[in-house]
Amino acid sequence: MPAALEQLIRTHAPVPVADAVRLRVFLCCVPDPRDRRGRRYPLVALLPAAAAGVLAGARSLVAIGEWIADAPRWALHALGFPPDPLTGSVPTPHPATVRRFLARLDGDAVDHAVGAFLHSRTDAPHPGPAQRPALRAIAVDGRTLRGSRHGDRPAVALLAAMEHSGSVLAPRQVADKSNEIPAFAPLLNPLELTGTVVTADALHPRHEHGAYLRSRGAHHLAIGKKNHPGLFETVRTLPWRDIARDHYDRTRAHHRMEIRRLKTAAFARLDYPGARQALQVVRWRREMDTGKLTIERVCLITSLPPGEATGEQLAAWIRVTGTSKTCCTTCATGPSARTTPRSAPPTCPA
């Protein structure tokens, strides 16, 4: 994360009001792709206006420009568009101007700015006087942006780091789903990882990832499956029947009942960098409508030493890792049906 954004996070304490104004402060750190000559509309007005258009339902670059052109005067004032000193009216950019501006914008820089803004709004957990510092959990996962596929161009794939509280910290666009593995370390490089727990799905329990996290002072919590046969068999064949249960959870929602049992086993040495414990989660799910019963066993590894986290904490982190997809701060936009192929940008930004 750029130093300017880190300074903004430290200086802007979480407040429940004026979020739109504070977002504009973070967007000032986004580099302007336009030439200095002819900048009629400020970047800190165009970017919030585009975000407001997407929130209002715009699903294409043309629709964003049309929303800005039709916005009321009070909304344009709030977004930062300067009024005309003679007439008092607020001029708005042409939809083509908005489209060209968004097509040239650095999407990763916008992601970092919005992620820093969301991170500044979250309250960090404060331990009590007799407690150790609370661990911060970060989930790493990838997903494909809905609506980003256009013609022969594949959909946009993103790898994102998100706090378990819901704030997206660092989205990163990758060429395709197979590039999630090499994008793991570059995604986390700008973040402060000391004292954190990074959770990931079955694609990322790789030796280089574990060594990278331990070198950054972070702990890992990863799911093991058959794509890593040696590690998976070592954890799966443990005498789990003889190991005491650490956590039990029973929930009933969405017309089904779920029971989760968590067990942990300490290791003196495990064939994975820094691994200290193996975990097993057994989930019983019964559909209330059909009565169908599903039993699922999940094996995990973590570098957390025994006693570093409670069974309840581990179960909560595993639940986010195994069932939730990382949401991203970006939204896919594409040419609408009214956009001709000649006027459409060659690539649609995220």
Side-chain angles (χ1 to χ4, degrees):
M1 184 177 296
L5 292 179
E6 294 182 355
Q7 179 66 23
L8 286 174
I9 292 176
R10 290 192 294 267
T11 57
H12 285 70
V15 292
V17 296
D19 279 346
V21 177
R22 294 177 61 246
L23 174 60
R24 291 177 55 196
V25 175
F26 284 85
L27 293 178
C28 290
C29 299
V30 178
D32 196 330
R34 302 171 295 175
D35 191 89
R36 290 188 177 182
R37 296 171 295 180
R39 292 184 186 178
R40 184 178 180 184
Y41 305 100
L43 178 140
V44 291
L46 289 173
L47 274 180
V54 172
L55 292 175
R59 299 184 59 185
S60 67
L61 301 179
V62 173
I64 292 175
E66 292 176 346
W67 184 90
I68 296 175
D70 297 336
R73 181 179 176 182
W74 64 266
L76 297 175
H77 273 295
L79 292 171
F81 286 97
D84 188 278
L86 297 179
T87 63
S89 62
V90 182
T92 57
H94 191 273
T97 302
V98 178
R99 187 186 70 235
R100 290 192 298 266
F101 168 74
L102 294 178
R104 297 174 56 190
L105 202 62
D106 186 356
D108 290 336
V110 177
D111 286 335
H112 283 301
V114 177
F117 163 70
L118 295 175
H119 178 58
S120 69
R121 297 176 70 249
T122 60
D123 293 317
H126 299 284
Q131 298 177 352
R132 66 184 66 187
L135 293 172
R136 174 188 176 198
I138 298 176
V140 175
D141 200 1
R143 70 177 306 171
T144 301
L145 289 184
R146 183 178 60 184
S148 60
R149 184 180 292 106
H150 179 70
D152 297 333
R153 187 175 62 251
V156 176
L158 293 180
L159 185 67
M162 181 189 75
E163 288 195 27
H164 283 207
S165 59
S167 299
V168 179
L169 302 177
R172 184 181 182 86
Q173 184 171 338
V174 295
D176 50 55
K177 294 292 286 185
S178 64
N179 283 340
E180 283 188 18
I181 294 176
F184 183 85
L187 171 74
L188 298 176
N189 280 336
L191 303 180
E192 176 59 45
L193 298 181
T194 304
T196 63
V197 179
V198 178
T199 64
D201 59 12
L203 186 63
H204 295 285
R206 305 177 65 86
H207 284 66
E208 57 268 26
H209 292 177
Y212 168 78
L213 292 176
R214 296 304 298 142
S215 66
R216 295 286 309 277
H219 292 286
H220 54 73
L221 176 62
I223 298 175
K225 289 189 177 180
K226 293 183 179 180
N227 54 344
H228 304 281
L231 185 64
F232 175 75
E233 285 298 320
T234 302
V235 178
R236 186 185 67 85
T237 55
L238 289 175
W240 291 110
R241 293 180 178 271
D242 303 328
I243 297 176
R245 186 176 63 199
D246 287 292
H247 182 71
Y248 175 87
D249 182 32
R250 180 172 180 171
T251 59
R252 182 173 179 175
H254 304 291
H255 301 284
R256 63 173 178 260
M257 183 178 65
E258 285 190 3
I259 297 177
R260 293 171 176 264
R261 297 184 177 93
L262 170 67
K263 295 182 178 181
T264 60
F267 265 88
R269 183 182 181 279
L270 191 61
D271 187 20
Y272 193 81
R276 298 288 302 275
Q277 292 187 91
L279 303 89
Q280 185 196 59
V281 175
V282 181
R283 185 181 66 181
W284 299 62
R285 174 185 293 178
R286 181 181 296 276
E287 303 291 339
M288 305 301 294
D289 298 336
T290 62
K292 180 182 178 181
L293 177 64
T294 304
I295 303 176
E296 181 184 10
R297 289 177 174 84
V298 181
C299 298
L300 304 99
I301 53 173
T302 180
S303 60
L304 290 167
E308 186 73 15
T310 64
E312 184 178 359
Q313 287 178 314
L314 292 171
W317 295 337
I318 294 170
R319 193 179 186 92
V320 173
T321 305
T323 61
S324 299
K325 297 295 286 182
T326 303
C327 60
C328 301
T329 60
T330 52
C331 177
T333 57
S336 67
R338 298 173 52 188
T339 307
T340 61
R342 180 175 299 178
S343 62
T347 57
C348 293

